Amino acid sequence: MQFDIKPLTLDETGDYLDHRLQVAGGEPGLFLPGAVGRIFDYSGGIPRKINHAASLALLEGFGREAHRIGPEVMDAVMGELNLG
């Protein structure tokens, strides 16, 4: 069986991140709009790449003791991926 899933839009990417957080027992809104935009730019809306960037952002945010993931955290992540 094969599925052809289209990439998510920017709005869907934010909804997807919130959903994944809720499933994991967290609260929606952890990723600020600027961070969602950077994740979308990196991932092109592909869920596997969204997950990759979000996981790295959570680690970076934890290291910074950040309460929200903002664009500055994503800039650091993109730098680690040599994309910044």
Side-chain angles (χ1 to χ4, degrees):
M1 183 175 281
Q2 184 173 342
F3 294 96
D4 184 26
I5 299 174
K6 296 188 186 310
L8 302 177
T9 65
L10 175 59
D11 288 339
E12 290 170 335
T13 298
D15 292 343
Y16 175 78
L17 288 165
D18 283 344
H19 172 74
R20 294 292 304 239
L21 285 166
Q22 287 179 300
V23 168
E27 296 292 322
L30 177 66
F31 289 89
L32 298 176
V36 173
R38 283 171 172 74
I39 290 171
F40 177 75
D41 290 343
Y42 163 72
S43 69
I46 298 169
R48 178 182 54 81
K49 293 181 83 174
I50 294 169
N51 294 343
H52 180 236
S55 293
L56 293 174
L58 291 172
L59 288 171
E60 181 71 24
F62 177 78
R64 294 174 179 229
E65 297 182 8
H67 296 279
R68 297 277 185 255
I69 304 298
E72 65 285 346
V73 172
M74 290 311 305
D75 288 344
V77 169
M78 294 300 111
E80 291 175 20
L81 295 172
N82 294 319
L83 299 172

